[in-house]
Amino acid sequence: MRLLHTSDWHLGRAFHRVNMLGAQAEFIGHLVTAVRERDVDAVVVSGDVYDRAVPPLAAVELFDDALHRLADLGVPTVMISGNHDSARRLGVGAGLIGRAGIHLRTAPSACGTPVILADAHGDVAFYGLPYLEPALVKDEFGVEKAGHEAVLAAAMDRVRADLATRAPGTRSVVLAHAFVTGGAASDSERDITVGGVAAVPAGVFDGVDYAALGHLHGSQTITERVRYSGSPLPYSFSEADHRKSMWLVDLGPEGSLSAERIDCPVPRALARIRGRLEELLADPELVRHEEAWVEATLTDPVRPAEPMARLTERFPHTLSLAFDPDRAPEDPDVSYARRLAGRSEQQIAEDFVAHVRGAGVDAQEQAVLRDAFDAVRADEAVREIAR
């Protein structure tokens, strides 16, 4: 069975105020063409279909168009909700839509109920594990402490239990939206950290033939059978070096597997440039970036006059301008943002406590802070679902 694995469409999202709906529509057309021309048997979409719980009408219309075009091809599609989606909204009409071959899996309670498709070698069971917010689903899965690994492991226990009841030789595919250990993150994924630990080990997916992952925006292979497709379009300059693609996966008899990357259309190249303004304006090596979307970081000791206006004369698609003056680390004017770069909310809070009282936090205080951050994240998730 030939699968096309994609995820993280983020329909409705802009890129630094640039409307991406046209590029997203082009990707949908590319996806439909690939399904038709590459004889795809099933499409899997591993979450974050939309960019937010209540997407703009234009994004909903594009999603509707995608569903119709995929249904018209007669190729089954299995789709889960991600942490950006409203699972309830995305799942509205799932039963009816399923009659057209579009199978939406958004309810945690249905993790162990597969979509069964068949080819010449027998059945393939597709299990959809939507994004599982630990604080909201721990009771559903009967875990004592909310955590990504605990709830995902419990969901996979249901998958393996159901698979054990299937006919011998039944192959299996799991769709999941999670941060798996070994994956490389970018700046455009929403933080899903709970209890200070967001990542789960790839071994959680042992026992299935292929795990089609979503959430991280870079296409990557965690193991031969555990892969991220990545987002089809860039949504932050941290993705400047990404090769945007989808996985074309051939699942053979007895679970043999091969995978090939299919590149996605590139609306415009990304470039990150850094240096003093006059150097950036004169450097002949930067000619290749003149038509790219540009993030410029100026290192001039003193902020130059009209920097954006001057930059856009050479780089008309400059979207982001930052200042990071060349100064010694001990200089009191070194930016607060630079001092905080790469530090978690928990670390920043602990540093603040230590600064105010002159002593670091103990283990009990660390736990209090961690529980407070977890409670805020859980409350935000509940509020977004209720919107």
Side-chain angles (χ1 to χ4, degrees):
M1 183 171 288
R2 175 164 285 184
L3 318 175
L4 189 62
H5 167 200
T6 177
S7 72
D8 295 274
W9 295 357
H10 288 278
L11 300 182
R13 185 166 185 164
F15 181 76
H16 287 267
R17 302 178 304 282
V18 174
N19 188 319
M20 295 290 278
L21 203 65
Q24 291 169 339
E26 185 179 359
F27 161 70
I28 296 298
H30 172 72
L31 170 71
V32 171
T33 298
V35 170
R36 183 176 60 248
E37 294 183 351
R38 300 299 296 267
D39 297 322
V40 170
D41 298 307
V43 177
V44 295
V45 186
S46 299
D48 281 354
V49 175
Y50 292 120
D51 188 56
R52 57 182 186 264
V54 184
L57 179 59
V60 177
E61 290 173 339
L62 179 55
F63 179 59
D64 181 65
D65 177 64
L67 295 187
H68 278 85
R69 294 172 73 178
L70 288 169
D72 287 345
L73 291 175
V75 175
T77 297
V78 185
M79 185 178 296
I80 62 172
S81 50
N83 61 302
H84 280 249
D85 299 308
S86 165
R88 291 184 179 180
R89 285 186 172 85
L90 187 64
V92 168
L96 185 61
I97 295 171
R99 298 180 187 179
I102 308 293
H103 305 280
L104 300 174
R105 291 293 183 265
T106 63
S109 59
C111 285
T113 305
V115 176
I116 302 295
L117 304 178
D119 64 6
H121 304 292
D123 288 347
V124 180
F126 290 78
Y127 297 90
L129 279 55
Y131 171 66
L132 302 174
E133 175 60 45
L136 302 183
V137 303
K138 66 183 182 70
D139 292 337
E140 165 67 32
F141 291 107
V143 299
E144 292 184 4
K145 186 175 181 180
H148 284 280
E149 183 174 355
V151 297
L152 196 53
M156 283 300 302
D157 285 343
R158 293 188 183 184
V159 168
R160 284 185 282 265
D162 180 84
L163 191 57
T165 69
R166 302 287 165 182
T170 298
R171 289 156 292 161
S172 54
V173 175
V174 166
L175 290 73
H177 197 85
F179 187 176
V180 175
T181 303
S186 64
D187 293 341
S188 52
E189 299 109 6
R190 182 180 296 166
D191 180 30
I192 60 172
T193 301
V194 171
V197 179
V200 300
V204 165
F205 300 104
D206 286 351
V208 298
D209 294 304
Y210 184 65
L213 302 182
H215 179 58
L216 300 184
H217 287 185
S219 177
Q220 46 203 301
T221 301
I222 306 301
T223 72
E224 180 189 10
R225 297 183 181 276
V226 180
R227 299 171 187 260
Y228 283 99
S229 68
S231 62
L233 294 167
Y235 293 113
S236 72
F237 277 102
S238 66
E239 300 169 55
D241 295 330
H242 286 190
R243 173 187 165 193
K244 296 301 183 181
S245 59
M246 303 176 286
W247 284 112
L248 187 69
V249 177
D250 285 319
L251 189 59
E254 301 179 1
S256 62
L257 185 143
S258 62
E260 170 192 350
R261 289 177 73 177
I262 297 180
D263 290 326
C264 295
V266 179
R268 190 179 295 277
L270 305 186
R272 306 179 98 171
I273 59 176
R274 178 186 178 88
R276 300 192 178 195
L277 179 59
E278 295 300 335
E279 295 170 351
L280 297 180
L281 296 177
D283 188 349
E285 292 294 320
L286 300 182
V287 169
R288 66 188 188 279
H289 298 318
E290 289 180 350
E291 294 303 317
W293 280 324
V294 168
E295 175 192 71
T297 300
L298 300 185
T299 60
D300 302 72
V302 177
R303 184 173 301 203
E306 300 183 327
M308 180 61 91
R310 296 171 67 189
L311 274 170
T312 54
E313 289 180 5
R314 182 178 187 187
F315 307 103
H317 305 289
T318 301
L319 301 181
S320 176
L321 177 60
F323 297 90
D324 188 14
D326 288 328
R327 292 183 177 132
E330 63 275 10
D331 190 318
D333 291 330
V334 170
S335 74
Y336 182 65
R338 191 197 297 185
R339 296 200 300 273
L340 297 185
R343 302 186 66 76
S344 68
E345 294 169 336
Q346 176 92 14
Q347 291 170 324
I348 293 170
E350 291 176 8
D351 288 349
F352 175 76
V353 173
H355 173 74
V356 169
R357 73 179 185 193
V361 300
D362 58 28
Q364 183 177 357
E365 291 167 332
Q366 283 182 325
V368 169
L369 287 169
R370 184 164 55 247
D371 289 345
F373 282 120
D374 288 351
V376 170
R377 292 189 187 93
D379 182 66
E380 289 175 345
V382 170
R383 289 174 181 273
E384 187 153 310
I385 289 171
R387 285 176 63 191

Short mmCIF file of all heavy atoms in Angstrom, two decimals, residues 218-251:
data_model
loop_
_atom_site.label_atom_id
_atom_site.label_comp_id
_atom_site.label_asym_id
_atom_site.label_seq_id
_atom_site.Cartn_x
_atom_site.Cartn_y
_atom_site.Cartn_z
N GLY A 218 10.17 20.35 10.57
CA GLY A 218 11.23 19.86 9.69
C GLY A 218 11.00 18.40 9.36
O GLY A 218 10.74 17.58 10.24
N SER A 219 11.09 18.05 8.07
CA SER A 219 10.98 16.65 7.66
C SER A 219 12.18 15.90 8.23
O SER A 219 13.33 16.31 8.04
CB SER A 219 10.96 16.54 6.14
OG SER A 219 10.92 15.19 5.73
N GLN A 220 11.94 14.79 8.92
CA GLN A 220 13.03 14.07 9.56
C GLN A 220 12.66 12.62 9.83
O GLN A 220 11.49 12.28 10.01
CB GLN A 220 13.50 14.76 10.84
CG GLN A 220 12.40 15.21 11.77
CD GLN A 220 12.85 16.33 12.69
OE1 GLN A 220 13.79 16.19 13.47
NE2 GLN A 220 12.16 17.47 12.63
N THR A 221 13.70 11.80 9.85
CA THR A 221 13.56 10.38 10.11
C THR A 221 14.08 10.10 11.51
O THR A 221 15.28 10.22 11.76
CB THR A 221 14.34 9.56 9.08
OG1 THR A 221 13.84 9.86 7.76
CG2 THR A 221 14.21 8.08 9.34
N ILE A 222 13.19 9.74 12.43
CA ILE A 222 13.60 9.40 13.79
C ILE A 222 14.15 7.97 13.79
O ILE A 222 15.22 7.70 14.33
CB ILE A 222 12.42 9.54 14.76
CG1 ILE A 222 11.81 10.94 14.67
CG2 ILE A 222 12.88 9.24 16.20
CD1 ILE A 222 12.76 12.07 14.97
N THR A 223 13.39 7.05 13.20
CA THR A 223 13.86 5.70 12.87
C THR A 223 13.29 5.39 11.49
O THR A 223 12.51 6.17 10.95
CB THR A 223 13.37 4.64 13.88
OG1 THR A 223 11.95 4.43 13.70
CG2 THR A 223 13.62 5.07 15.32
N GLU A 224 13.64 4.25 10.95
CA GLU A 224 13.12 3.89 9.63
C GLU A 224 11.59 3.91 9.61
O GLU A 224 10.98 4.29 8.60
CB GLU A 224 13.60 2.50 9.23
CG GLU A 224 13.09 2.06 7.85
CD GLU A 224 13.40 0.60 7.54
OE1 GLU A 224 13.83 -0.13 8.46
OE2 GLU A 224 13.17 0.19 6.39
N ARG A 225 10.97 3.58 10.74
CA ARG A 225 9.51 3.45 10.78
C ARG A 225 8.82 4.58 11.54
O ARG A 225 7.60 4.56 11.71
CB ARG A 225 9.13 2.10 11.40
CG ARG A 225 9.60 0.91 10.57
CD ARG A 225 9.15 -0.42 11.14
NE ARG A 225 9.64 -1.51 10.32
CZ ARG A 225 9.05 -1.96 9.22
NH1 ARG A 225 7.91 -1.42 8.82
NH2 ARG A 225 9.58 -2.95 8.51
N VAL A 226 9.57 5.57 11.99
CA VAL A 226 9.02 6.71 12.72
C VAL A 226 9.54 7.97 12.06
O VAL A 226 10.72 8.28 12.15
CB VAL A 226 9.41 6.66 14.21
CG1 VAL A 226 8.81 7.85 14.96
CG2 VAL A 226 8.96 5.35 14.87
N ARG A 227 8.64 8.72 11.42
CA ARG A 227 9.08 9.87 10.61
C ARG A 227 8.15 11.06 10.79
O ARG A 227 6.94 10.91 10.99
CB ARG A 227 9.11 9.50 9.12
CG ARG A 227 10.07 8.38 8.76
CD ARG A 227 9.87 7.94 7.31
NE ARG A 227 10.66 6.76 6.99
CZ ARG A 227 11.83 6.78 6.35
NH1 ARG A 227 12.33 7.93 5.95
NH2 ARG A 227 12.48 5.66 6.10
N TYR A 228 8.74 12.25 10.68
CA TYR A 228 7.99 13.50 10.56
C TYR A 228 7.97 13.91 9.09
O TYR A 228 9.02 13.91 8.43
CB TYR A 228 8.65 14.62 11.36
CG TYR A 228 8.42 14.58 12.84
CD1 TYR A 228 9.37 14.04 13.70
CD2 TYR A 228 7.25 15.09 13.40
CE1 TYR A 228 9.17 14.01 15.08
CE2 TYR A 228 7.04 15.07 14.77
CZ TYR A 228 8.01 14.53 15.60
OH TYR A 228 7.80 14.51 16.95
N SER A 229 6.81 14.31 8.60
CA SER A 229 6.77 14.87 7.25
C SER A 229 7.22 16.32 7.26
O SER A 229 7.78 16.81 6.28
CB SER A 229 5.35 14.78 6.68
OG SER A 229 4.47 15.65 7.38
N GLY A 230 6.99 17.01 8.39
CA GLY A 230 7.27 18.44 8.45
C GLY A 230 6.16 19.23 7.78
O GLY A 230 5.28 18.68 7.10
N SER A 231 6.18 20.53 7.97
CA SER A 231 5.18 21.40 7.34
C SER A 231 5.51 21.58 5.86
O SER A 231 6.68 21.58 5.48
CB SER A 231 5.14 22.77 8.04
OG SER A 231 6.40 23.42 7.91
N PRO A 232 4.50 21.74 5.02
CA PRO A 232 4.77 21.91 3.59
C PRO A 232 5.28 23.30 3.21
O PRO A 232 5.80 23.49 2.11
CB PRO A 232 3.40 21.65 2.95
CG PRO A 232 2.41 22.04 4.00
CD PRO A 232 3.06 21.66 5.32
N LEU A 233 5.12 24.25 4.14
CA LEU A 233 5.56 25.62 3.91
C LEU A 233 6.33 26.10 5.14
O LEU A 233 6.12 25.61 6.24
CB LEU A 233 4.36 26.54 3.68
CG LEU A 233 3.55 26.29 2.40
CD1 LEU A 233 2.22 27.04 2.47
CD2 LEU A 233 4.33 26.71 1.18
N PRO A 234 7.21 27.09 4.98
CA PRO A 234 7.92 27.63 6.14
C PRO A 234 7.04 28.60 6.91
O PRO A 234 6.29 29.37 6.31
CB PRO A 234 9.11 28.35 5.51
CG PRO A 234 8.61 28.79 4.17
CD PRO A 234 7.66 27.71 3.71
N TYR A 235 7.14 28.58 8.22
CA TYR A 235 6.38 29.50 9.05
C TYR A 235 7.25 30.27 10.03
O TYR A 235 6.74 30.97 10.89
CB TYR A 235 5.28 28.73 9.79
CG TYR A 235 4.22 28.19 8.83
CD1 TYR A 235 4.06 26.82 8.63
CD2 TYR A 235 3.42 29.06 8.11
CE1 TYR A 235 3.12 26.33 7.74
CE2 TYR A 235 2.47 28.57 7.20
CZ TYR A 235 2.32 27.21 7.03
OH TYR A 235 1.38 26.74 6.14
N SER A 236 8.57 30.14 9.91
CA SER A 236 9.50 30.96 10.68
C SER A 236 10.84 30.94 9.95
O SER A 236 11.12 30.04 9.16
CB SER A 236 9.68 30.43 12.11
OG SER A 236 10.43 29.23 12.11
N PHE A 237 11.67 31.95 10.24
CA PHE A 237 12.98 31.99 9.59
C PHE A 237 13.91 30.90 10.11
O PHE A 237 14.93 30.61 9.48
CB PHE A 237 13.61 33.38 9.76
CG PHE A 237 13.13 34.37 8.74
CD1 PHE A 237 12.18 35.32 9.09
CD2 PHE A 237 13.62 34.35 7.45
CE1 PHE A 237 11.73 36.24 8.15
CE2 PHE A 237 13.17 35.26 6.50
CZ PHE A 237 12.22 36.20 6.84
N SER A 238 13.57 30.27 11.23
CA SER A 238 14.38 29.14 11.69
C SER A 238 14.28 27.96 10.73
O SER A 238 15.06 27.01 10.83
CB SER A 238 13.94 28.72 13.09
OG SER A 238 12.62 28.20 13.07
N GLU A 239 13.34 28.01 9.80
CA GLU A 239 13.17 26.95 8.81
C GLU A 239 13.87 27.26 7.49
O GLU A 239 13.61 26.61 6.47
CB GLU A 239 11.67 26.71 8.58
CG GLU A 239 10.92 26.31 9.83
CD GLU A 239 9.41 26.33 9.67
OE1 GLU A 239 8.91 25.67 8.74
OE2 GLU A 239 8.73 27.01 10.47
N ALA A 240 14.77 28.24 7.51
CA ALA A 240 15.43 28.67 6.26
C ALA A 240 16.18 27.53 5.57
O ALA A 240 16.28 27.51 4.34
CB ALA A 240 16.38 29.82 6.56
N ASP A 241 16.70 26.58 6.34
CA ASP A 241 17.46 25.48 5.75
C ASP A 241 16.62 24.23 5.54
O ASP A 241 17.16 23.19 5.14
CB ASP A 241 18.66 25.14 6.65
CG ASP A 241 19.67 26.28 6.72
OD1 ASP A 241 19.78 27.03 5.74
OD2 ASP A 241 20.33 26.42 7.77
N HIS A 242 15.32 24.29 5.81
CA HIS A 242 14.47 23.12 5.63
C HIS A 242 14.24 22.81 4.15
O HIS A 242 14.14 23.73 3.33
CB HIS A 242 13.10 23.33 6.28
CG HIS A 242 13.11 23.25 7.76
ND1 HIS A 242 11.95 23.21 8.52
CD2 HIS A 242 14.14 23.19 8.65
CE1 HIS A 242 12.27 23.14 9.80
NE2 HIS A 242 13.58 23.15 9.91
N ARG A 243 14.14 21.55 3.85
CA ARG A 243 13.65 21.10 2.54
C ARG A 243 12.22 20.64 2.77
O ARG A 243 11.98 19.60 3.37
CB ARG A 243 14.52 19.96 2.01
CG ARG A 243 14.00 19.31 0.74
CD ARG A 243 14.84 18.09 0.39
NE ARG A 243 14.18 17.26 -0.60
CZ ARG A 243 14.55 16.01 -0.89
NH1 ARG A 243 15.58 15.46 -0.27
NH2 ARG A 243 13.88 15.31 -1.80
N LYS A 244 11.25 21.42 2.30
CA LYS A 244 9.85 21.13 2.56
C LYS A 244 9.37 20.00 1.64
O LYS A 244 9.54 20.08 0.42
CB LYS A 244 9.00 22.38 2.36
CG LYS A 244 9.33 23.50 3.35
CD LYS A 244 9.14 23.04 4.80
CE LYS A 244 9.39 24.13 5.81
NZ LYS A 244 9.22 23.66 7.19
N SER A 245 8.76 18.99 2.26
CA SER A 245 8.44 17.80 1.48
C SER A 245 7.36 16.98 2.16
O SER A 245 6.92 17.29 3.28
CB SER A 245 9.69 16.94 1.27
OG SER A 245 10.24 16.55 2.51
N MET A 246 6.94 15.92 1.48
CA MET A 246 6.04 14.91 2.02
C MET A 246 6.73 13.55 1.87
O MET A 246 7.63 13.40 1.05
CB MET A 246 4.71 14.89 1.25
CG MET A 246 3.98 16.21 1.20
SD MET A 246 2.47 16.15 0.18
CE MET A 246 3.21 16.12 -1.49
N TRP A 247 6.30 12.57 2.67
CA TRP A 247 6.85 11.22 2.55
C TRP A 247 5.91 10.36 1.71
O TRP A 247 4.72 10.27 1.98
CB TRP A 247 7.00 10.57 3.92
CG TRP A 247 8.17 11.04 4.72
CD1 TRP A 247 8.13 11.76 5.87
CD2 TRP A 247 9.55 10.81 4.45
NE1 TRP A 247 9.40 12.01 6.33
CE2 TRP A 247 10.29 11.43 5.48
CE3 TRP A 247 10.24 10.14 3.43
CZ2 TRP A 247 11.69 11.40 5.54
CZ3 TRP A 247 11.62 10.10 3.48
CH2 TRP A 247 12.34 10.73 4.51
N LEU A 248 6.48 9.73 0.69
CA LEU A 248 5.77 8.71 -0.08
C LEU A 248 6.26 7.37 0.43
O LEU A 248 7.43 7.01 0.25
CB LEU A 248 6.07 8.86 -1.58
CG LEU A 248 5.27 7.97 -2.52
CD1 LEU A 248 3.80 8.40 -2.55
CD2 LEU A 248 5.86 8.02 -3.94
N VAL A 249 5.39 6.65 1.12
CA VAL A 249 5.77 5.44 1.84
C VAL A 249 5.12 4.23 1.18
O VAL A 249 3.89 4.20 1.01
CB VAL A 249 5.35 5.52 3.32
CG1 VAL A 249 5.68 4.22 4.05
CG2 VAL A 249 6.02 6.71 3.99
N ASP A 250 5.92 3.23 0.83
CA ASP A 250 5.40 1.96 0.33
C ASP A 250 5.46 0.94 1.45
O ASP A 250 6.55 0.59 1.94
CB ASP A 250 6.22 1.49 -0.87
CG ASP A 250 5.91 2.28 -2.14
OD1 ASP A 250 4.72 2.57 -2.36
OD2 ASP A 250 6.85 2.61 -2.88
N LEU A 251 4.29 0.48 1.85
CA LEU A 251 4.17 -0.52 2.91
C LEU A 251 3.86 -1.87 2.26
O LEU A 251 2.74 -2.10 1.80
CB LEU A 251 3.07 -0.11 3.89
CG LEU A 251 2.93 -0.92 5.18
CD1 LEU A 251 4.22 -0.87 5.99
CD2 LEU A 251 1.77 -0.38 6.01
#
